[in-house]
Amino acid sequence: MLAKCEDGGKLILRLVLGLLILFHGTWKLQHGVGFVADMLLKHGLPAAIGYLVYIGEVLAPLMIILGILGRFGVLIIVINMLVALMLVHTGQLLSINPQTGGYALELQFMYLFGALSLLASGMGRFVIGGSRLN
């Protein structure tokens, strides 16, 4: 019984993490990655790297949702979130949201640590791709 609960919990976490990050990716598909490119330029990095966000916010979430090379997709999301934290949110690392009283980066940290949880535990048995990378 416990194994069934674990697999169901992993499926829920995969679906929520994947869908929520995919919303960010679809927004960028519609509006472009100009602001990401600008942020990269401000940090002395090539703007073209900004197009990698499509991998981190479209391809990787689909990999996680479907369970196709899911751990690899999760690793991409971990890297994507670390880059976002470094480029955009460094000034908020020790901040509280004045409107809610919560941690200013709670959403980003839920994405990051949800992804790390799946990286550690795997995708569960409800996957399309039956590879060892799940």
Side-chain angles (χ1 to χ4, degrees):
M1 176 78 171
L2 184 58
K4 290 180 184 177
C5 292
E6 287 177 13
D7 290 328
K10 290 174 185 179
L11 176 63
I12 291 168
L13 181 56
R14 281 181 26 226
L15 293 176
V16 170
L17 178 67
L19 287 171
L20 292 177
I21 292 179
L22 187 58
F23 281 121
H24 290 270
T26 56
W27 188 91
K28 288 178 180 84
L29 284 171
Q30 294 170 352
H31 299 95
V33 294
F35 74 95
V36 176
D38 291 344
M39 191 65 63
L40 289 164
L41 286 172
K42 287 179 187 174
H43 285 84
L45 298 167
I49 294 174
Y51 289 98
L52 293 175
V53 78
Y54 293 127
I55 295 171
E57 294 184 6
V58 177
L59 181 61
L62 290 173
M63 293 167 70
I64 293 168
I65 290 167
L66 298 173
I68 298 172
L69 299 175
R71 279 195 167 144
F72 185 62
V74 168
L75 181 60
I76 293 169
I77 287 178
V78 167
I79 293 166
N80 191 62
M81 290 310 304
L82 290 172
V83 170
L85 286 166
M86 287 187 291
L87 292 179
V88 182
H89 301 290
T90 307
Q92 298 171 294
L93 283 174
L94 302 175
S95 298
I96 300 295
N97 182 328
Q99 295 158 341
T100 65
Y103 180 51
L105 298 177
E106 58 193 22
L107 179 64
Q108 293 82 357
F109 271 56
M110 282 299 287
Y111 288 161
L112 175 62
F113 286 97
L116 286 170
S117 174
L118 284 172
L119 188 62
S121 67
M123 302 292 107
R125 66 183 168 117
F126 303 119
V127 296
I128 290 177
S131 130
R132 283 198 272 180
L133 295 174
N134 280 322

